[in-house]
Amino acid sequence: MKPWPLALALFAGGVAAGSTMLPQPVQDALTLIDSVPSQNQLDDAFCTLPTMCSDHQAAINGLAAIATDTGATDASSRNARLHAISALSTYCVAPCADDEQAHQTLRSIIAATTGEATGFDAVVLRAAIEAIGPQRVAGDLDLLISQLQNPSRDIRAAVAHSLRDLCNTQAIVPLRQQQQAETSDQVKQAITEALRVLGQGSPCQ
């Protein structure tokens, strides 16, 4: 199973949303270290009435609420927020529909934190960028390309990885342009990998 992105390891401790402690099943699902929880695990964690959770909506609503919780100021609630952002990516089958709640939540997070280069907001931005690429929504191309100019090399590298996962060959030209201007070896390496995947003709098949 895919490990959590590095950004999620920055915060440790119990899980809370703002000042409200989350139920134990939600805490358990959002503190897995070596793997991303499956849809079934998340559905079970957020569902209090199993007969009403067959459409995943309880989990999506819960994850969206935690992911957009700007009141998360302590380490444990920030940890929960980052995990929820990444978990949202499991609720769209690529290619995800643009109007799906899991996708729109990630777009709203990126819009709210765009341009951030330091502090926790930058970590949130990075997590959302990492999560949105695998959803493979064609309309996210321009959104991600706009972040290639972010002052943070970590975010620029995350954008390159996300453009790779987006599997849209229209990203090749802007990635090559950024590669020529890029000063960070970390970002250059991420761009090189993205270009390798996208240049295979039928990427991500």
Side-chain angles (χ1 to χ4, degrees), residues 20-205:
T20 304
M21 204 67 179
L22 297 176
Q24 190 63 47
V26 175
Q27 294 185 48
D28 294 342
L30 293 183
T31 54
L32 291 175
I33 301 300
D34 297 326
S35 63
V36 176
S38 67
Q39 278 192 0
N40 287 339
Q41 289 173 306
L42 291 165
D43 287 346
D44 289 345
F46 283 95
C47 187
T48 55
L49 297 172
T51 58
M52 298 176 62
C53 297
S54 59
D55 62 354
H56 310 304
Q57 198 57 55
I60 294 172
N61 289 343
L63 290 169
I66 297 169
T68 56
D69 180 15
T70 57
T73 56
D74 60 86
S76 59
S77 58
R78 287 179 169 186
N79 185 51
R81 187 180 180 194
L82 294 173
H83 281 70
I85 288 170
S86 286
L88 281 169
S89 66
T90 70
Y91 280 93
C92 280
V93 177
C96 177
D98 176 72
D99 61 354
E100 289 191 38
Q101 183 180 357
H103 176 254
Q104 286 297 319
T105 299
L106 293 175
R107 282 191 66 98
S108 71
I109 293 169
I110 293 172
T113 54
T114 190
E116 296 290 345
T118 60
F120 182 65
D121 282 345
V123 179
V124 168
L125 175 60
R126 178 183 171 187
I129 286 171
E130 290 174 338
I132 206 169
Q135 294 182 341
R136 298 186 191 172
V137 178
D140 291 337
L141 180 66
D142 290 341
L143 177 71
L144 290 171
I145 289 173
S146 70
Q147 295 296 328
L148 278 173
Q149 304 303 314
N150 190 287
S152 167
R153 65 183 181 185
D154 289 337
I155 290 177
R156 296 197 305 276
V159 172
H161 292 147
S162 198
L163 286 170
R164 174 200 64 197
D165 296 339
L166 188 66
C167 296
N168 188 332
T169 55
Q170 293 181 51
I172 291 176
V173 170
L175 280 169
R176 283 178 175 164
Q177 292 172 340
Q178 182 63 30
Q179 188 178 47
Q180 293 174 357
E182 184 57 57
T183 58
S184 166
D185 289 340
Q186 172 191 349
V187 181
K188 286 180 180 178
Q189 183 176 358
I191 292 175
T192 297
E193 169 63 14
L195 289 172
R196 183 189 67 78
V197 172
L198 295 173
Q200 291 176 348
S202 298
C204 309
Q205 296 298 316

